[in-house]
Amino acid sequence: MCGIVGYVGNKEVLPILLEGLERLEYRGYDSAGVAFVNPEGLKCVKSVGKIETLRRTLEGHQCKGMVGIGHTRWATHGLPSLENAHPHVDCHQKIALVHNGIIENHDFLRLSLEKEGHHFVSNTDTEVLVHLVEKYFHGDLSDALNRALSEVEGAYGVAVVSQDDPCKIVAARFGSPLAVGLGEGEHFVTSDVAAILNHTRKVVYLKDRELAVLTKEKVETGSISPIGDRCYVDVHMRAEEIEWEVDKIEKKGYRHFMHKEIHEQPASLLNVMRGRIDPDGTNVRLGVFSEKREELEGLRRILIVACGTSWHAGLVGEYMLEEYERIPVEVEYASEFRYRKPIIEEDTAVIAMSQSGETADTLAALRESKKNGAITLSICNVVGSTIAREAEGGIYLHAGPEIGVASTKVFTSQIAALHLLTILLWMRNGRAGEAASNMIKALREVPEQVDSILHREKQIEDLAQLYKDSENFLYLGRGYNFPVALEGALKLKEISYIHAEGYPAAELKHGPIALITKDMPVVFIATRDSTYGKILGNIEEVKARGGKVIAIATAGDTDIRKKVDHVFYIPEAPEPLTPILSVIPLQLLAYHMAVLRGCDVDKPRNLAKSVTVE
Ligand code: AGP
């Protein structure tokens, strides 16, 4: 999820680059940098943290130049650091390159380049690209990039400048979006048109394996090819007019980041599995397991420490790991764990779960665990976050930046990651056999199943219309769906400000049933599983007292329809995977209720995306 912006024209390049990078802020980033060419040669300035830091760093530089590129980095490989920030430069600091994507054969390329004498300063995959361009540069930058990319496997959106071919930017794409912006006597390149909308609305989206040469006079493109004639064609005929406002583009046309992130879940679920399941679907590979094999093989107890939504995901993990791994697992509120002098024995693993990787209570619980000799692991979304760095090993979710304060796509990715860990540990003890392959197969079907649910969003929107004025809600579930009841209630209360409680359904008769009236809507997650019959009984208890029941049920279950007021169906899946599916309608219900109530969905009152204070 990195951001790229470049300019060539008659204006001062730096203000344009900085403005563009600020436009890309919403994508999330941990470092940024610019490179520009002027009569003195190539200049490259980078910083860790906010664009504001980069802006301040540049104030000290006499920056004159009319050709340049900029980059915001959302780390996927290699910690956020100055060395790993883009742009990357060649051995002689005459060529600078920015990249969005993953170079899959970077290890091999790096080794051969080092053998040829190239010196690397970062541990990113991207740096191999700029050294390849250096290797093939003999005065023509487009030729050099062409040859370089012909050796690359993976995805890229890339832009490069050179002081020895100073009046141009050369860019290319394969798998990561890249567009060129067309101006009068000036041209732009960007990974996201939001970055250049203040300058031009005329853009051309590059196709895969298309390489573009931008000068202030023109933009020509051709196909990437290692050798032979390359014919470049002027792109002006392909120009499209951008109708959107910037705000819309940052949200890709969605009204709120939360809505966009709910709809990103088919993709984010694919990302958390990417590279971690063998192509034949018979094995799971997690880096943390190879790094910590010995400790993980001797595990006798697992503690999961987390807050909020991450705690709910951890509860699903508890059910899964105990069912399949047969070792004791406890999920602890990090804020309680850190102060209650917990018992931590030998062979105890503590897993800190955190989207931001910066939650103060979870970080403190991790440190407490480490101090007491536990094996510490993390499941985080933000690469290089404090919790991820302080744990001895971990799993990154690669869900991309989650901007909406209410966590959605990360919750489902956390559950998927826990699935992968459960399957891997389960296979390790040799009891899994065929069942593990079936579980892997079911997990791989989940993204498409989520997509099918999202296509029926209108039904949820209609439900929200019916219940938007409710003052209270109850969410009830059993087994794997009990954590989903908690999560559904949290989603509703934190963005619509409706009071909502989640309970194990059987707890209804131990108190909450006193609340049931016709004005108390009750959401039951009532999928066809081992507790289905009991749930039907709980539904009867509510209906007998005039309560309104909304059921999340398994597709094809016609029985339940007669017993409730509304039913929303989700595809059938193995019980441990159901939470990923049953939470989707609850996320959408909370979202639409909040919108109908005029709430600030992305920034709910009193809340922060990352609670870095106690
Ligand atoms: C979830 O929607 C909330 N925003 C909140 O409960 C959040 O899950 C909690 O603060 C933990 O955050 P973390 O995952 O970044 O540690």
Side-chain angles (χ1 to χ4, degrees):
M1 289 298 282
C2 304
I4 290 174
V5 61
Y7 172 82
V8 55
N10 296 312
K11 295 176 191 144
E12 260 307 296
V13 67
L14 279 181
I16 295 171
L17 296 182
L18 285 168
E19 177 205 11
L21 294 180
E22 278 161 359
R23 285 275 175 230
L24 298 176
E25 267 186 310
Y26 75 92
R27 299 163 67 100
Y29 62 88
D30 43 57
S31 53
V34 292
F36 52 94
V37 182
N38 63 21
E40 289 137 48
L42 178 79
K43 195 99 179 130
C44 182
V45 180
K46 309 194 269 192
S47 69
V48 176
K50 293 188 176 306
I51 305 296
E52 192 42 44
T53 314
L54 179 63
R55 187 181 284 281
R56 278 203 305 279
T57 311
L58 282 163
E59 275 160 11
H61 287 263
Q62 281 309 314
C63 314
K64 298 285 174 210
M66 291 178 261
V67 185
I69 51 179
H71 186 271
T72 56
R73 181 170 184 249
W74 168 266
T76 53
H77 296 72
L79 296 181
S81 67
L82 219 44
E83 298 71 29
N84 291 339
H86 301 208
H88 287 288
V89 295
D90 67 310
C91 300
H92 303 290
Q93 304 194 15
K94 294 182 175 178
I95 301 169
L97 179 143
V98 293
H99 166 238
N100 184 14
I102 293 178
I103 307 299
E104 287 172 5
N105 60 335
H106 69 93
D107 281 331
F108 167 75
L109 292 170
R110 185 181 184 122
L111 272 177
S112 53
L113 286 161
E114 284 174 334
K115 282 195 188 112
E116 292 166 20
H118 288 267
H119 173 63
F120 284 75
V121 297
S122 81
N123 51 24
T124 64
D125 53 340
T126 300
E127 197 182 351
V128 299
L129 272 180
V130 74
H131 290 289
L132 277 174
V133 173
E134 175 189 8
K135 172 180 174 180
Y136 292 115
F137 183 77
H138 307 294
D140 179 339
L141 193 56
S142 59
D143 176 63
L145 184 62
N146 235 314
R147 292 177 189 281
L149 292 176
S150 306
E151 294 194 20
V152 159
E153 289 161 25
Y156 49 80
V158 60
V160 62
V161 292
S162 162
Q163 70 179 39
D164 296 332
D165 193 355
C167 302
K168 67 176 69 162
I169 298 173
V170 183
R173 76 150 277 175
F174 180 65
S176 292
L178 209 56
V180 292
L182 309 178
E184 296 300 320
E186 59 183 17
H187 292 101
F188 304 79
V189 62
T190 182
S191 54
D192 187 321
V193 291
I196 60 171
L197 265 195
N198 283 349
H199 303 279
T200 179
R201 287 184 173 273
K202 283 174 73 177
V203 297
V204 173
Y205 292 96
L206 296 187
K207 302 187 186 85
D208 271 350
R209 298 204 184 284
E210 188 171 19
L211 179 140
V213 183
L214 293 78
T215 62
K216 63 182 179 182
E217 295 81 12
K218 60 184 176 182
V219 178
E220 293 183 318
T221 66
S223 298
I224 294 169
S225 62
I227 48 174
D229 291 342
R230 291 180 201 106
C231 97
Y232 290 110
V233 180
D234 189 288
V235 295
H236 277 75
M237 296 304 289
R238 287 165 50 189
E240 299 176 39
E241 194 74 22
I242 296 289
E243 308 293 339
W244 281 345
E245 289 315 312
V246 171
D247 181 51
K248 272 271 183 229
I249 287 172
E250 292 173 350
K251 299 175 183 118
K252 294 268 181 295
Y254 289 97
R255 200 170 144 201
H256 299 101
F257 282 116
M258 180 182 176
H259 200 204
K260 169 172 160 279
E261 287 148 14
I262 289 174
H263 281 266
E264 280 177 341
Q265 290 180 100
S268 50
L269 284 161
L270 284 172
N271 283 345
V272 68
M273 291 185 248
R274 195 182 307 284
R276 290 169 167 163
I277 296 178
D278 279 359
D280 62 3
T282 56
N283 208 348
V284 166
R285 274 173 295 136
L286 288 173
V288 65
F289 192 72
S290 34
E291 289 150 23
K292 294 284 162 197
R293 173 181 292 279
E294 212 174 291
E295 294 91 329
L296 292 176
E297 295 210 329
L299 271 189
R300 297 170 59 77
R301 182 170 170 241
I302 295 176
L303 295 172
I304 298 174
V305 293
C307 303
T309 287
S310 296
W311 189 91
H312 298 152
L315 195 51
V316 176
E318 173 184 315
Y319 282 47
M320 255 188 308
L321 284 161
E322 286 208 342
E323 177 177 354
Y324 293 93
E325 195 45 28
R326 307 312 296 158
I327 57 172
V329 179
E330 288 148 71
V331 188
E332 300 258 5
Y333 282 112
S335 53
E336 289 299 305
F337 179 84
R338 65 182 291 198
Y339 290 118
R340 68 173 185 75
K341 298 183 180 37
I343 296 173
I344 295 173
E345 302 121 338
E346 280 290 297
D347 307 328
T348 298
V350 174
I351 303 176
M353 294 190 61
S354 174
Q355 186 289 125
S356 61
E358 302 299 342
T359 300
D361 285 324
T362 309
L363 177 58
L366 177 77
R367 288 173 174 165
E368 177 74 13
S369 307
K370 216 169 181 178
K371 198 172 70 188
N372 289 283
I375 303 155
T376 53
L377 305 175
S378 65
I379 297 181
C380 289
N381 189 39
V382 179
V383 174
S385 55
T386 309
I387 289 171
R389 271 186 291 111
E390 295 198 9
E392 294 164 69
I395 301 172
Y396 279 128
L397 298 171
H398 300 309
E402 188 177 65
I403 311 293
V405 163
S407 186
T408 49
K409 63 176 180 177
V410 167
F411 175 69
T412 49
S413 292
Q414 286 171 326
I415 295 174
L418 285 163
H419 260 280
L420 293 171
L421 181 62
T422 302
I423 294 169
L424 190 139
L425 292 174
W426 186 29
M427 292 172 89
R428 174 221 38 157
N429 64 28
R431 289 206 312 267
E434 185 68 18
S437 307
N438 296 336
M439 183 70 91
I440 293 172
K441 183 172 177 296
L443 182 58
R444 293 172 93 170
E445 287 167 6
V446 162
E448 217 168 288
Q449 291 176 319
V450 167
D451 199 43
S452 70
I453 294 170
L454 294 169
H455 278 93
R456 291 183 286 120
E457 176 171 9
K458 180 71 176 60
Q459 190 187 340
I460 298 291
E461 211 172 332
D462 295 343
L463 263 184
Q465 195 63 257
L466 286 175
Y467 290 98
K468 66 186 186 323
D469 299 322
S470 306
E471 292 304 309
N472 298 285
F473 255 83
L474 266 186
Y475 286 74
L476 303 174
R478 283 176 181 256
Y480 282 98
N481 284 319
F482 162 45
V484 182
L486 297 176
E487 177 59 11
L490 175 62
K491 286 286 91 56
L492 186 68
K493 72 178 92 167
E494 68 175 326
I495 63 170
S496 74
Y497 314 145
I498 294 174
H499 174 243
E501 289 301 324
Y503 276 98
E507 276 298 300
L508 189 65
K509 54 186 170 301
H510 298 283
I513 198 161
L515 296 172
I516 301 300
T517 69
K518 66 178 177 39
D519 301 322
M520 169 66 87
V522 182
V523 176
F524 276 94
I525 300 110
T527 48
R528 272 219 189 273
D529 57 25
S530 50
T531 64
Y532 178 69
K534 302 289 181 204
I535 279 272
L536 289 183
N538 298 137
I539 289 172
E540 298 291 354
E541 290 164 10
V542 171
K543 289 305 295 169
R545 290 160 179 82
K548 290 274 185 270
V549 172
I550 300 165
I552 308 297
T554 305
D557 175 0
T558 50
D559 302 342
I560 198 162
R561 183 181 283 283
K562 304 178 211 99
K563 300 175 186 301
V564 299
D565 299 278
H566 315 276
V567 59
F568 182 90
Y569 288 110
I570 62 173
E572 182 150 17
E575 279 189 56
L577 285 171
T578 307
I580 297 178
L581 303 178
S582 56
V583 78
I584 304 296
L586 306 189
Q587 294 171 344
L588 291 169
L589 182 64
Y591 171 74
H592 286 293
M593 298 269 271
V595 169
L596 289 168
R597 292 166 68 97
C599 298
D600 183 347
V601 172
D602 285 332
K603 297 190 182 71
R605 68 187 180 204
N606 312 335
L607 290 177
K609 183 59 186 169
S610 176
V611 183
T612 53
V613 294
E614 286 198 29

